[in-house]
């Protein structure tokens, strides 16, 4: 199924006014609220053939000139391997409790990207089987890719345990 056919299907399934679309550099983007995110992702996988989750990432819009009141966007890049068509699904979450449902039940490949988004931005994924830090130490309390995180850190570097090459 092509991206345009998938959008028509999504509008049919989720209600015509609940999603919006745009094009950017030959990529079709679908903007959805977090309330219907799982419905849209499930439809894209089961009904539209987007069987490969390429990536999940996040964007911090704090201080962005044209930003709305939403701070974070979570972006799902999907591929239909039989057609070769791609689609990008984007949803917004906010502080103080940025939470989205986990897409792990649809694509097992969501495991590490969701953990990375959690580790770097603090966005939690409900239903994820093992949502713990993947890049930062477990005792680290901040999220380094948030725009309000200081560029030179918060002085936590000297608190990290020192590992020798033999321990690594």
């Amino acid at each position: 199924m092509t991206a345009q056919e998938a959008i028509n299907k999504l509008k049919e399934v989720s209600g015509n006014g609940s999603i919006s679309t745009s094009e950017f550099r030959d990529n079709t983007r679908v903007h959805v609220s977090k309330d219907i995110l799982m419905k849209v992702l499930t439809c894209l996988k089961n009904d539209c053939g987007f069987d490969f989750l390429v990536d999940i990432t996040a964007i911090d819009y704090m201080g962005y000139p044209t930003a709305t009141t939403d701070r974070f966007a979570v972006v799902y890049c999907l591929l239909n391997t039989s057609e070769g068509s791609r689609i990008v699904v984007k949803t917004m979450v906010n502080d103080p409790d940025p939470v989205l449902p986990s897409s792990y039940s649809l694509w097992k490949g969501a495991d590490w990207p969701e953990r990375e988004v959690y580790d770097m931005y603090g966005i939690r994924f409900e239903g994820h089987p093992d949502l713990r830090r993947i890049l930062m130490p477990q005792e680290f309390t901040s999220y380094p890719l948030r725009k309000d995180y200081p560029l030179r850190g918060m002085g936590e570097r000297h608190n990290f345990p020192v590992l020798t090459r033999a321990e690594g």
Side-chain angles (χ1 to χ4, degrees), residues 3-153:
Q4 187 56 49
E5 292 169 338
I7 288 171
N8 294 338
K9 178 73 175 175
L10 289 176
K11 286 180 178 177
E12 177 186 309
V13 168
S14 64
N16 212 8
S18 59
I19 66 169
S20 62
T21 61
S22 63
E23 293 283 331
F24 182 72
R25 295 187 179 171
D26 297 331
N27 286 316
T28 301
R29 298 186 295 188
V30 179
H31 307 266
V32 301
S33 70
K34 70 178 194 177
D35 301 331
I36 63 167
L37 175 66
M38 284 308 290
K39 189 175 185 179
V40 165
L41 292 178
T42 302
C43 178
L44 285 171
K45 180 172 183 199
N46 296 337
D47 301 335
C48 302
F50 287 87
D51 53 350
F52 184 63
L53 174 69
V54 177
D55 197 10
I56 301 173
T57 189
I59 303 164
D60 186 352
Y61 282 111
M62 189 176 103
Y64 196 76
T66 59
T68 61
T69 57
D70 297 311
R71 179 169 177 181
F72 299 106
V74 176
V75 179
Y76 299 82
C77 302
L78 305 174
L79 173 68
N80 181 329
T81 56
S82 62
E83 298 282 333
S85 57
R86 295 177 180 266
I87 199 163
V88 175
V89 178
K90 188 175 182 181
T91 191
M92 308 301 284
V93 291
N94 286 304
D95 275 336
D97 193 25
V99 178
L100 288 174
S102 174
S103 61
Y104 180 81
S105 61
L106 294 172
W107 298 280
K108 300 300 181 223
D111 186 6
W112 285 32
E114 286 183 348
R115 285 180 61 187
E116 184 179 10
V117 168
Y118 164 69
D119 195 13
M120 296 289 111
Y121 293 94
I123 299 168
R124 291 182 294 113
F125 293 90
E126 277 185 351
H128 190 281
D130 185 21
L131 193 62
R132 58 187 161 99
R133 291 207 179 253
I134 192 168
L135 298 170
M136 303 306 293
Q138 293 302 316
E139 60 272 9
F140 197 74
T141 58
S142 297
Y143 304 103
L145 288 186
R146 286 185 173 202
K147 287 188 174 174
D148 55 358
Y149 185 78
L151 291 178
R152 293 181 178 250

